[in-house]
Amino acid sequence: MKSIRNRRDGYALLFAASILLAIWHCITFMLKEVIFFAAISCISLLLLVRQSRLLYDATLIYANRILGVPSDPISTPGRQMNKDTGETVVSTFGILMGSKIYRWGLDGVHGVRLQAAQIDTERMYLAFGDAVQTMKVELLHGMTQKQAVLDVAQKLLHETGVRADITGW
């Protein structure tokens, strides 16, 4: 979440600087520079709005966490990611993996929803999507006690309405 916030702050700084430069060149009657910095201002404003929405989603996911796992290797079918992503947070509203967000439950009945969850002794498997596309994510959960697994399964059921299949415990 820190990288999302830093990127948002960078876009805000770029936006402020380009506005100030556009105003300065407007005062000094340099039309080409005014147009250039105005264009940069518009682009940086769009990036700032996009990053602010991403930060809002990340904050929402982080505040409504069901499970937080530090630094997991994560895989999705078809590709393997073995990079250090910081903390992975599974939430009522999605998954936050470093600066990547997979959202669900925010777009109403016809939007992306968590569809299935399975927890075994080492990994948690989550399937989410809409009527058109489904994505599956697998992550190491790091839970060693059965009661912790049962608590997470209960939170998933209560928060998302999805009953987690627990195997191997």
Side-chain angles (χ1 to χ4, degrees), residues 18-29:
S18 61
I19 287 289
L20 289 174
L21 287 169
I23 291 171
W24 172 256
H25 285 97
C26 186
I27 291 171
T28 59
F29 300 107

Side-chain angles (χ1 to χ4, degrees), residues 125-141:
Y125 306 92
L126 300 170
F128 53 94
D130 56 11
V132 178
Q133 182 180 2
T134 300
M135 183 172 181
K136 295 180 182 180
V137 174
E138 152 188 338
L139 57 104
L140 295 172
H141 56 67

Side-chain angles (χ1 to χ4, degrees), residues 59-96:
T59 304
L60 184 67
I61 289 170
Y62 194 81
N64 293 290
R65 68 177 42 216
I66 293 173
L67 174 67
V69 182
S71 187
D72 297 23
I74 300 153
S75 66
T76 56
R79 65 178 184 224
Q80 178 76 24
M81 293 184 279
N82 285 324
K83 61 183 179 179
D84 183 23
T85 59
E87 185 177 25
T88 299
V89 176
V90 178
S91 167
T92 306
F93 301 107
I95 300 174
L96 172 64

